[in-house]
Each structure stands twice: as structure tokens, then as C-alpha cells.
Amino acid sequence: MAELHQTPASLCCCRKSLPVSGARCVGDSSQPSACPGPGAPRCPLIDVASASNFRCFQLRHFHLDLRLNFAVKEMSGWLVLDLVSVQPGIHTLILDSHSSLLIHSIDCKVPGSGQEEPVSLTYRVDPFTDYGSTLNISLPTSAVKPGQLIQITVRYTTTDGPAIWWLDSELTCGQSRPLVFTQGHSVCNRSFFPCFDTPAVKSTYSATVRVPDGVTVLMSASRSSYSKQDRVFQFSMEFPVPSYLVALVAGELQHVDVGPRSRLWAEPCLLSCAVKKLGGSVERWLGVAEELFGPYLWGRCDIVFLPPSFPIVAMENPCLTFIIASILESSEFLLIDVIHEIAHGWFGNAVTNATWEEMWLSEGLATYAQRRITTEAYGETFTCLETVVRLDALHRQLRLLGDNNPVSKLQVKFEPGVNPSTLMNLFTYEKGFCFVSYLSQVCGDYRRFDGFLRDYIAQFKFKSVVAQDLIDYFLCYFPELKDAAVAQREGLEFERWLNGCGPPLCEPDLSAGGALIQPVQDLCDLWRTGTPPDLQSLMSFDLSAWSTFQIVLFLDRMLDHSPLPHDVMLSLSSCYSSLFDGLNAEIQIRWLQMVVRNTFHPDLPRVRAFLHKHTSRMYTVPLYEDLVAGVMKCVAVEIFYQTQRRLHPNLRRTLQQILFQTTATPTNQNGLTLSVMPPSPSSSPSTSAQVPPPATTATASTAAATSAGTTAAIALRDVNVSA
């Protein structure tokens, strides 16, 4: 058993998990027979982020038939739901929807009943939260009987909803044709189509998409076909998925096959770069993952690279991962991001958290799986270095939030109305990883734990689970640990892991990464003395030979000690800034954050050049936040006015809020900010420029969790960012 490094943790508002019992365990024949499994009885599942009555129906399948209109930025068509009532006396179907959806009509049909014409239904749209509404559909009493299939058809048009991102040609990489993509995580797809928008519900789906000539459509589907004559794309997802994993992208896209089951898609100007960066690596990583966790269940493992306007780094849509093109220049980050999304093929997509309050079941397990893959493919030293970078970011965020902040729990209790996307943070990834890593250590052999994870996937595949399912299955799988009461081990109780605030109760031993990590710490120590180190002492540190993660760790730790004396910054710039100019954006942004936080004017032109070049959220927001927090707000406003035409409107609104920190900003008919100076400290609210308020959150500390610590935010990959 690896050494455990315990850290203190405080308990706060513990909440019991849902009980699970019954069913049989699969896998090792020596396992006891009374193990929890899919379909085992439990208390009714509650998802406060969904207004739907999903517990009253079984969703067998749904079909989308859509026409894309780029000129008016609309999708129009219909949705067909195949539903079976599972409870008697149900007369209303309640779906999650959004105020941006224009509902035209709804009708009902009972297949096999002899009914020739569908019955028109009455419906009502009610408010729910700021991220959705409720679509209440009255059902005919004669049609709704337990066990009987009914088909509900909803005709609708999308407008400007949070799930659908229309890009004018100027915002694409090639700048020749417009592009549209959807982003459903966590609760956005209710603005794409009415649905049971909860991860607790999974179903198969199909789609027909009609587009103008020259447009290629891709979806997160296992099968597809195209009729060139009719300009119609057909899709079918034969495996059940939750609503948030239904995704679409359409534009000028081309592909190259890079493996027997993997294909890279991108705009023509990006494709060769993507192929050069990834090549045959995808198939290699898939093979390693299959050796560890069992067969890849989704058939295809394609990747599409999207323009910088994509609001997150990557999204694990099954069969078709979405990745921001900006990450292509950072090879090590690209590697980690793609492997993480591949890991979601098992953890998150095949077995899904049943509620957003337990996102760690997806992200924590996927992060653990990602690190098992990189350990097998690239060695333990590399994996330990990457893990140290992330755990540093976790502790940085904890210092900002405090150990007693409830957002640091693995099981976060959502208040009604809180958008789950606003509560995505490093804890779901890294504290979740530490808990899973602890489970692997207490069973004594990580290879044994690999076997457990293989059987866990086999048992629960295509199901949605709660934490208690995982824990009960773990204790069933390792009866000796159950007999030893490992779940109640003092100071490391499972209940405390799940419901306690603060840092992980223990962290894995990362000493195997010492050969890469120790030189970084030694260099940090040289620069932290308060005076510039002599050049002789720096001779043994050749940063040009360091990996990206080593330099990132060095800059992150130096950022932790900012502000630095001016002569130290002068010496740092003299030694490294020219080197950093030729390295990737993950390194450059950290150096530029040091420049801004230390008000180091000689390197300010580098900040300007970076923000003129990069238009993605992950590279702009942290720098703008730092500029505004210091004495360089006027510089930030000037750069914003110069670059706003190249920013997506959603990012533009975010930056307006950062710059002007009020409720509305004057814009012209194109949504561009008019040239007004930011308010001075003495300006009254009535004369200050204003922007829309931030998304509602449960508490002030929750809001802090989503924005505190820009360095921590950079380290957090594939996390949904609210527009």
C-alpha cells in the first residue's frame, strides 16, 4: 500500500446518501451474491435542476427532425418522444424547456391503436429558473395507461438559447463560412429541444438534419449517413445517453481517418495541424484504456476541433469529442485533455452520475482513469508531475475559499434555482480523484482496483448511479474491506470524504515524480529569496529543456508568491520572457499574469499582443480579471475596444461585466460596446456603464467558487463556463 499523506478536514452539514440494496454482483465468482446493481430499489431520485416528471415515464427513444437556417440563426422542426407511462393516473407530461424555444404545436399518437390522425394537445409554459422553463402538456386520459407506448410530437423553433452557438464566418478559424455547435452540459440542452433534462434519464435517439449546400453536420451518434441530393444528414445513437450528451456541429468541416475507429474533424485550415499533433495516438490511448477498463462501448471515437469561441476546453460527447482548437499549440495539455475525454467513454458516458450534485462520480473517476492511462502510456513520473500541477491548483482554490466552504464537498447540496454549471470546480475533479485513488490504495493493489473498475462498468453500463451504488459495489467486491469496516476508518470515513468540506482527507504518494518536480521547486526557492539569484546558480536550470508541465508548475508557484520585488521581476523577464515568447499559450498566459499582477510595465506589450492574438475564453478572461484587479484597468478597456469584433457575443458580455462591473453596457445594433470610459471610483451608479448581473447562485461563497483564483481556473479543464 502506498503511503497516505493525511491532511485535516472539517465536517459540515453531512447529508446521507440514498440507500441501495438487492440485485447480484457480476465479475469474480468469489464475490458475494447480494450486491447492488442497476435497477435495485432505492428512495425516489430527486433532481432539483429538472422541472420534469421523469419518474412517471420511461423514455424509450426520441427523434429530432431539424432544418438549420444560418441566415436567421434558427433551427426549426420537430421532436418525437416514445414514452411509456410507469405510473397509473398520470395525465400531464412535464418537460424541461427554455424561454428561447418557440413551441408551435404538440400532438399525441398511440402506435398500434388504429388511430389514423394524431390528437392535438393543449400545453402551458411556466417559468422554472433563469436557466429553463417548464413545458406542461395535458395528455388524453384514454391514451395514457401504464405500459402503453405513446408518441408525443413537439413542433418548435430555437432562437437564442444557451445551448446553441451560432458563429459568423469572422469568428471561425477559416473565416469563410459560418458554423454552429451545441453545448448541452450541464442543463443547457433544454434550449435545444424539450426533454427530461436530467442525467438520471438515458435513451437512444435518432436525428434528421437538413442544411444548405456545402455544410457538413456531425452529431454525437454511433451511425450516420448523408443524402447529397437532398442535403440531409441522418444520425442514430444506438446506445442510451442522457440529454446533455446530445450534441451537434455544422459548418465547413473536413476529416482524416487516424485509426480504425477514430477520425479527426476540423475546418480545412486546421486539419493538417490536428493530424500532425494527434496522428495515431488516439487508437493507442484507446487500446491502453481497454486493457485497463474493458471494451470501448461506443464504436466510434472521433474528435472535432472547434473555433476559439467554444466556451470550454473539451466536451466528452459520445462518439464525437468536441475540443477547442486553441489547445492544439500546447501538446502536453492536448494529450491530457484528449485522454481525459477518452476516459469519459467509461466514466461519465457509460456510467453517469444520476444527479448534478454528484458530478465527481463522472469527473473524479474520469480523472483517475486518465492518470492510469497516462501512467501506462508515458510512465509514472509524467503522471505525478501533471497531478502535482492540478493538486497545487486545488489547494490554491481552497486558500481563496476557505476550508469550510460547502462548495468543496464532493456531494454538493444544490439549492433550487442554482445552475449546476456554476458549481463545477476543481473539487469535482481533484478531490474526487483523491477519493478514488484512496479506494485503490485501501484494496492494496492498483491492478486489483483496475479489475474492480472493469466489473463496475460491466455492471452499471448505460445506467445512471449515485455514490452509494459505487460504494456498496466496492464493499461487495472486496468483502474483506467491508469486514474490516474500512468505510468507517477513523479520519478517513467514506461519509466524511463525501460530505465533509475542505481538502482531500489524504492524497496519493507522488514522490515518483521527484525527478521532474524537485528541480522546479529548487528553482522557485532561488527566486523567492527577495533578491535576484546570481547567474551562476541559474546555470543548472535549462528551462528550454523542461516540459510544459514543469514550466507551468514553476510559474504557478511563482504566481503564488506575487507580488515580487521589481528587481526580481526585471531579472525574471531578462532570463525567461524571450524564451516564453516562443512557447505555447499555457505557459505564456501564466507569465503574463505575473507581469500584470506585479505591474511590470516593460512586458506590457506582450500582454497586448497576447490578447490581440487569442480570443478564447480560457485565455482572455483570466488576464482581463487580473488587469481589472490591479492598476491596469484602462489598458484592459483599450484592448477590449480594439478586439471586441473578433470576440463571440457571449464572451464579449462576460468581459463587459468584468470591465464595467454593473448591469448594462451601451452597445450598437451589432452588439458592440460603444466607446465609453470605465466609471471612476467616484462615479455614481446612475452614470456608470452597466452589464447583466451574474448567474444566480446559492450563496456568496458558491459564487466565489466559480470565479476565485484565475490560476486555479486555468488549471481546470473541460469545465462548463456560463456565458
Side-chain angles (χ1 to χ4, degrees):
M1 180 183 294
E3 179 186 359
L4 300 180
H5 303 285
Q6 292 198 29
T7 54
S10 55
L11 286 171
C12 177
C13 303
C14 289
R15 187 162 61 97
K16 291 190 178 296
S17 304
L18 297 174
V20 180
S21 61
R24 286 182 64 86
C25 191
V26 298
D28 193 331
S29 59
S30 66
Q31 305 306 321
S33 60
C35 281
R42 62 166 66 97
C43 294
L45 186 67
I46 297 175
D47 185 347
V48 298
S50 174
S52 68
N53 59 346
F54 65 91
R55 291 179 298 275
C56 300
F57 296 90
Q58 178 192 2
L59 176 60
R60 294 257 181 102
H61 183 83
F62 69 88
H63 177 76
L64 288 167
D65 193 303
L66 298 172
R67 182 179 299 276
L68 275 54
N69 188 328
F70 284 85
V72 295
K73 299 181 179 178
E74 287 182 353
M75 299 183 187
S76 59
W78 58 87
L79 160 76
V80 181
L81 299 165
D82 290 352
L83 295 167
V84 175
S85 174
V86 296
Q87 295 180 15
I90 302 300
H91 304 300
T92 303
L93 169 64
I94 305 174
L95 299 175
D96 291 304
S97 187
H98 194 271
S99 58
S100 64
L101 289 185
L102 304 179
I103 307 298
H104 304 306
S105 67
I106 303 177
D107 58 51
C108 172
K109 193 171 184 178
V110 181
S113 66
Q115 171 191 355
E116 295 184 3
E117 295 296 326
V119 176
S120 180
L121 303 180
T122 59
Y123 61 90
R124 185 183 74 251
V125 178
D126 292 330
F128 174 55
T129 64
D130 63 351
Y131 59 84
S133 56
T134 302
L135 179 58
N136 300 272
I137 305 169
S138 298
L139 301 175
T141 305
S142 59
V144 184
K145 300 174 183 177
Q148 179 172 276
L149 175 67
I150 60 172
Q151 288 185 330
I152 305 296
T153 300
V154 182
R155 288 173 174 80
Y156 71 100
T157 299
T158 70
T159 57
D160 187 21
I164 304 173
W165 294 63
W166 296 93
L167 305 187
D168 294 331
S169 57
E170 294 80 7
L171 295 179
T172 65
C173 296
Q175 298 188 353
S176 59
R177 286 179 176 268
L179 183 142
V180 64
F181 63 83
T182 66
Q183 169 58 18
H185 195 289
S186 303
V187 289
C188 292
N189 263 357
R190 62 191 67 185
S191 68
F192 182 16
F193 55 93
C195 56
F196 294 138
D197 201 4
T198 170
V201 174
K202 293 186 172 185
S203 77
T204 58
Y205 82 89
S206 54
T208 300
V209 184
R210 308 163 202 278
V211 293
D213 189 33
V215 174
T216 297
V217 185
L218 309 174
M219 290 193 74
S220 54
S222 52
R223 299 180 186 276
S224 63
S225 62
Y226 172 56
S227 170
K228 186 174 183 179
Q229 180 179 352
D230 301 324
R231 300 197 302 276
V232 172
F233 288 82
Q234 302 277 359
F235 301 94
S236 174
M237 171 52 87
E238 58 193 304
F239 310 108
V241 295
S243 58
Y244 78 91
L245 290 178
V246 178
L248 175 151
V249 58
E252 186 182 17
L253 300 168
Q254 296 180 359
H255 74 271
V256 170
D257 290 333
V258 293
R261 50 185 165 171
S262 51
R263 175 176 290 176
L264 300 184
W265 289 90
E267 293 179 66
C269 60
L270 285 176
L271 189 57
S272 61
C273 176
V275 173
K276 181 180 178 181
K277 290 282 188 175
L278 286 178
S281 298
V282 177
E283 184 61 34
R284 178 192 176 196
W285 298 332
L286 278 171
V288 173
E290 287 185 312
E291 290 179 8
L292 293 171
F293 310 121
Y296 180 71
L297 300 169
W298 302 95
R300 301 293 308 175
C301 184
D302 297 342
I303 297 171
V304 58
F305 287 91
L306 298 178
S309 294
F310 188 54
I312 59 176
V313 177
M315 181 62 205
E316 66 273 15
N317 302 309
C319 304
L320 183 68
T321 292
F322 285 13
I323 295 188
I324 191 169
S326 307
I327 205 68
L328 280 169
E329 67 175 80
S330 307
S331 296
E332 290 180 36
F333 279 84
L334 173 66
L335 177 154
I336 292 297
D337 291 328
V338 174
I339 292 177
H340 184 85
E341 305 315 315
I342 286 175
H344 272 306
W346 287 261
F347 305 99
N349 293 2
V351 182
T352 308
N353 45 282
T355 78
W356 294 118
E357 294 179 322
E358 295 187 324
M359 280 186 270
W360 75 270
L361 282 169
S362 170
E363 298 301 347
L365 279 160
T367 301
Y368 178 86
Q370 160 213 310
R371 288 174 180 153
R372 285 292 296 118
I373 295 169
T374 59
T375 297
E376 295 297 313
Y378 299 101
E380 191 175 9
T381 303
F382 171 83
T383 299
C384 287
L385 172 62
E386 181 269 332
T387 304
V388 165
V389 171
R390 308 298 196 195
L391 290 179
D392 266 19
L394 176 72
H395 289 290
R396 191 172 300 118
Q397 199 166 55
L398 267 172
R399 290 195 296 272
L400 290 162
L401 300 175
D403 285 353
N404 292 321
N405 195 305
V407 81
S408 63
K409 295 181 182 182
L410 285 183
Q411 293 190 152
V412 180
K413 178 65 176 175
F414 286 180
E415 296 298 326
V418 173
N419 188 330
S421 298
T422 66
L423 297 184
M424 293 268 320
N425 54 54
L426 278 166
F427 302 102
T428 59
Y429 291 75
E430 298 305 334
K431 191 173 181 179
F433 158 76
C434 287
F435 180 43
V436 178
S437 183
Y438 171 66
L439 294 179
S440 76
Q441 292 172 49
V442 296
C443 74
D445 180 355
Y446 66 88
R447 295 289 183 186
R448 270 185 94 198
F449 193 68
D450 292 343
F452 160 74
L453 291 177
R454 279 194 297 272
D455 287 344
Y456 167 77
I457 293 296
Q459 176 79 340
F460 293 100
K461 64 183 177 183
F462 305 128
K463 305 292 182 182
S464 299
V465 300
V466 295
Q468 200 62 47
D469 291 321
L470 172 67
I471 290 170
D472 287 350
Y473 192 74
F474 176 80
L475 295 175
C476 164
Y477 200 91
F478 300 108
E480 71 279 10
L481 297 180
K482 183 176 182 179
D483 294 342
V486 68
Q488 288 80 42
R489 184 175 291 176
E490 185 176 359
L492 294 165
E493 300 90 345
F494 288 2
E495 175 74 7
R496 193 175 183 185
W497 269 105
L498 297 177
N499 292 307
C501 299
L505 301 183
C506 67
E507 296 178 6
D509 178 12
L510 302 175
S511 59
L516 296 177
I517 299 166
Q518 191 57 50
V520 175
Q521 186 57 49
D522 291 343
L523 183 59
C524 287
D525 292 341
L526 282 176
W527 285 103
R528 289 175 180 173
T529 61
T531 58
D534 63 86
L535 293 179
Q536 187 64 34
S537 63
L538 296 175
M539 292 293 289
S540 59
F541 299 95
D542 181 9
L543 268 64
S544 66
W546 279 16
S547 70
T548 290
F549 278 118
Q550 283 180 294
I551 300 177
V552 162
L553 183 62
F554 168 63
L555 292 175
D556 279 349
R557 290 185 173 180
M558 293 304 295
L559 272 165
D560 289 340
H561 285 262
S562 291
L564 300 168
H566 181 77
D567 57 343
V568 171
M569 277 299 299
L570 197 63
S571 184
L572 277 166
S573 177
S574 175
C575 290
Y576 305 128
S577 61
S578 295
L579 171 67
F580 296 157
D581 286 343
L583 300 180
N584 60 64
E586 294 290 340
I587 291 171
Q588 289 179 22
I589 190 172
R590 286 165 167 85
W591 168 245
L592 297 178
Q593 284 187 281
M594 285 188 64
V595 168
V596 173
R597 292 187 191 182
N598 287 277
T599 320
F600 187 66
H601 289 281
D603 273 4
L604 192 56
R606 288 183 163 93
V607 176
R608 292 179 182 273
F610 186 88
L611 288 175
H612 275 267
K613 176 183 177 182
H614 292 280
T615 58
S616 64
R617 178 178 293 268
M618 67 180 181
Y619 292 141
T620 53
V621 170
L623 271 177
Y624 273 99
E625 286 180 335
D626 281 351
L627 285 165
V628 169
V631 297
M632 298 183 175
K633 184 172 182 177
C634 288
V635 174
V637 172
E638 179 185 346
I639 297 171
F640 173 74
Y641 287 141
Q642 294 168 349
T643 60
Q644 61 173 322
R645 291 181 180 276
R646 296 168 44 235
L647 304 175
H648 189 277
N650 290 347
L651 176 57
R652 201 182 300 149
R653 285 192 289 269
T654 298
L655 296 182
Q656 288 167 354
Q657 181 178 328
I658 292 170
L659 292 169
F660 306 115
Q661 300 181 0
T662 42
T663 57
T665 302
T667 60
N668 63 16
Q669 66 270 26
N670 297 316
L672 300 177
T673 304
L674 300 177
S675 183
V676 295
M677 291 303 295
S680 66
S682 60
S683 297
S684 66
S686 61
T687 60
S688 300
Q690 298 183 350
V691 296
T696 304
T697 51
T699 63
S701 59
T702 295
T706 62
S707 60
T710 54
T711 305
I714 295 172
L716 181 56
R717 318 312 298 176
D718 90 333
V719 174
N720 202 3
V721 182
S722 298

